[in-house]
Amino acid sequence: VYNDFLVYGVVPADLPALHDFVLEGYQSFLHSPIRKRCIVFTAHPYRNDRVGAECYVPEISDGVETFNLHPSVNSDNGFMSRYASEKQYLTICGSDYHHNGHEAMAGLLVRQLPEDEAGLAALLRSGDYLFEFNENVVIPSHRMIHKI
């Protein structure tokens, strides 16, 4: 199954090992020292390998990208947001910046900017942030109170 993953907490010294993990498959990354200090989100999980009303979120993921604002691609953000809420995943959003004009369409609002990669990974693990889409603030589903 193919998909994209967003890995936060990586430092430049990790890049050679990450290249090897790409060749070997994510299972080799799953139990590595690098994985233990990173946080991983499945990017736009409804865009690829969607089967009916389900989507594939592999065990490597700590959370999912619920809002992907690529202007030319339907990532089924509404479905992903509901799915993440039901599964109680941590969530993030993104602009999916690949071309000029796509930048800064989505971002995270945080109380304090992290100082380094480890701080960013810790911030994302905490879930203590809000989404911002073109100056509109959205409360992520992982911040909502869930019924028991």
Side-chain angles (χ1 to χ4, degrees):
V1 174
Y2 169 81
N3 207 340
D4 297 325
F5 299 96
L6 306 166
V7 182
Y8 299 96
V10 172
V11 295
D14 296 332
L15 295 179
L18 288 176
H19 178 266
D20 293 342
F21 294 135
V22 169
L23 298 174
E24 296 167 12
Y26 77 82
Q27 288 294 333
S28 62
F29 176 65
L30 196 56
H31 303 290
S32 73
I34 296 172
R35 174 62 182 101
K36 288 178 178 37
R37 66 175 189 275
C38 293
I39 185 166
V40 178
F41 289 85
T42 300
H44 47 70
Y46 257 113
R47 190 183 302 170
N48 298 319
D49 301 313
R50 181 175 170 189
V51 180
E54 281 296 316
C55 71
Y56 177 68
V57 179
E59 63 185 318
I60 194 174
S61 295
D62 298 299
V64 293
E65 180 183 48
T66 52
F67 288 93
N68 179 292
L69 296 186
H70 190 294
S72 304
V73 179
N74 179 3
S75 295
D76 282 330
N77 294 321
F79 287 106
M80 194 61 239
S81 184
R82 180 171 45 194
Y83 182 83
S85 180
E86 290 169 0
K87 301 290 185 181
Q88 297 187 19
Y89 285 128
L90 284 173
T91 61
I92 58 170
C93 64
S95 295
D96 207 355
Y97 174 68
H98 295 279
H99 309 285
N100 288 337
H102 294 188
E103 66 275 3
M105 293 179 62
L108 300 181
L109 296 175
V110 299
R111 296 174 198 265
Q112 183 174 349
L113 289 176
E115 294 184 20
D116 56 18
E117 294 86 352
L120 176 58
L123 171 69
L124 293 172
R125 255 187 227 95
S126 77
D128 188 21
Y129 47 84
L130 300 173
F131 295 165
E132 188 263 326
F133 308 122
N134 301 318
E135 300 181 15
N136 295 291
V137 177
V138 175
I139 300 171
S141 61
H142 68 262
R143 301 279 313 258
M144 304 300 285
I145 298 172
H146 296 277
K147 295 179 184 178
I148 297 178

